[in-house]
Amino acid sequence: EADIYQTPRYLVIGTGKKITLECSQTMGHDKMYWYQQDPGMELHLIHYSYGVNSTEKGDLSSESTVSRIRTEHFPLTLESARPSHTSQYLCASSESSGATWGYTFGSGTRLTVV
Amino acid sequence: QKEVEQNSGPLSVPEGAIASLNCTYSDRGSQSFFWYRQYSGKSPELIMFIYSNGDKEDGRFTAQLNKASQYVSLLIRDSQPSDSATYLCAAQEYNNNDMRFGAGTRLTVKP
């Protein structure tokens, strides 16, 4: 049973459209992350949050934005989708401090921009 | 230089053999190390973590850590075709949840 949920699972959308990828977790984790991953390639951190009202950009330059108004919810928004945004987007969460048990990943959203 | 390095593979082993996956890291502040398995088209799932030098065993999986050499490995005994996946190594500083992932090693177990 998944404790971190991403919707939609698949999305095909036209160039220039605004889209929001949803991510919610029920574990009460403070820290949440968005990764981008192309098929067969490595994970790239695009955004992260250490708690409510905290958001930071990751290593990979991204034209997306995120918000963290509630602990459990960390949506990612693309204001104007482009074909270069075609990729898999993975959301993850983790406990906030001390010994860590790793990240829990959602099932991902596979985005195709046509 | 990447912080976490892995051989991209593919690594191919016959069913029943031991698969050995290796990882090196550059940040000496790293304290915790993780192995994730990622099936094609799926998201990563945590299979092992290790904090202390030495070996840690969990079923068919053994993680090995050598902090002096900055080296982490994962051994999979009695490999099964269902073990065919990409294995991601990750390193993390204590009390810092910014996990650094390697690019992954693709493992194929042939029946």
Side-chain angles (χ1 to χ4, degrees), chain A residues 9 31 33 35 37 42-43 48 50 59 88 90 94-103 105-107 110, chain B residues 2 32 34 36 38 40-46 49 51 88 92 94-104:
Chain A
R9 185 71 179 91
K31 297 194 173 183
Y33 309 83
Y35 285 88
Q37 186 181 36
E42 60 191 289
L43 294 165
Y48 60 98
Y50 285 172
D59 300 328
Q88 169 147 280
L90 292 167
S94 68
E95 295 181 14
S96 61
S97 63
T100 182
W101 310 110
Y103 289 2
F105 284 87
S107 299
R110 189 169 297 280
Chain B
K2 291 187 176 181
S32 308
F34 303 83
Y36 291 82
Q38 186 175 24
S40 180
K42 302 294 186 183
S43 57
E45 57 176 327
L46 180 67
F49 60 89
Y51 306 139
L88 305 175
Q92 184 179 56
Y94 185 74
N95 263 342
N96 179 337
N97 269 342
D98 292 336
M99 195 170 298
R100 298 297 177 177
F101 287 89

Side-chain angles (χ1 to χ4, degrees), chain A residues 15-27:
Chain A
T15 297
K17 300 291 186 183
K18 177 180 177 178
I19 57 171
T20 297
L21 308 184
E22 300 289 346
C23 177
S24 294
Q25 50 96 4
T26 59
M27 297 172 283

Side-chain angles (χ1 to χ4, degrees), chain A:
Chain A
E1 181 179 347
D3 294 315
I4 180 164
Y5 306 94
Q6 288 187 246
T7 57
R9 185 71 179 91
Y10 300 95
L11 178 62
V12 180
I13 199 162
T15 297
K17 300 291 186 183
K18 177 180 177 178
I19 57 171
T20 297
L21 308 184
E22 300 289 346
C23 177
S24 294
Q25 50 96 4
T26 59
M27 297 172 283
H29 287 169
D30 285 330
K31 297 194 173 183
M32 298 187 73
Y33 309 83
W34 276 103
Y35 285 88
Q36 185 175 342
Q37 186 181 36
D38 292 324
M41 304 298 286
E42 60 191 289
L43 294 165
H44 292 286
L45 179 66
I46 49 176
H47 293 284
Y48 60 98
S49 167
Y50 285 172
V52 171
N53 295 325
S54 153
T55 61
E56 301 286 345
K57 286 184 181 288
D59 300 328
L60 180 67
S61 176
S62 173
E63 294 157 342
S64 57
T65 59
V66 291
S67 63
R68 190 85 183 278
I69 298 172
R70 303 195 317 267
T71 297
E72 62 272 21
H73 194 215
F74 190 41
L76 181 145
T77 298
L78 280 168
E79 291 292 333
S80 179
R82 295 211 301 265
S84 60
H85 294 138
T86 295
S87 189
Q88 169 147 280
Y89 293 84
L90 292 167
C91 182
S93 71
S94 68
E95 295 181 14
S96 61
S97 63
T100 182
W101 310 110
Y103 289 2
T104 301
F105 284 87
S107 299
T109 294
R110 189 169 297 280
L111 173 66
T112 302
V113 183
V114 298

Side-chain angles (χ1 to χ4, degrees), chain B residues 5-75:
Chain B
E5 299 261 14
Q6 295 181 256
N7 187 327
S8 63
L11 172 66
S12 181
V13 300
E15 184 175 356
I18 296 175
S20 178
L21 304 162
N22 304 314
C23 171
T24 59
Y25 61 95
S26 60
D27 182 3
R28 285 197 173 273
S30 299
Q31 297 288 330
S32 308
F33 304 89
F34 303 83
W35 285 98
Y36 291 82
R37 177 176 62 201
Q38 186 175 24
Y39 292 115
S40 180
K42 302 294 186 183
S43 57
E45 57 176 327
L46 180 67
I47 54 171
M48 289 284 289
F49 60 89
I50 186 167
Y51 306 139
S52 303
N53 275 327
D55 295 359
K56 180 181 178 183
E57 189 175 316
D58 184 0
R60 295 186 297 112
F61 298 97
T62 299
Q64 298 175 317
L65 173 60
N66 184 326
K67 290 187 178 180
S69 300
Q70 296 177 249
Y71 179 88
V72 192
S73 66
L74 179 70
L75 301 178

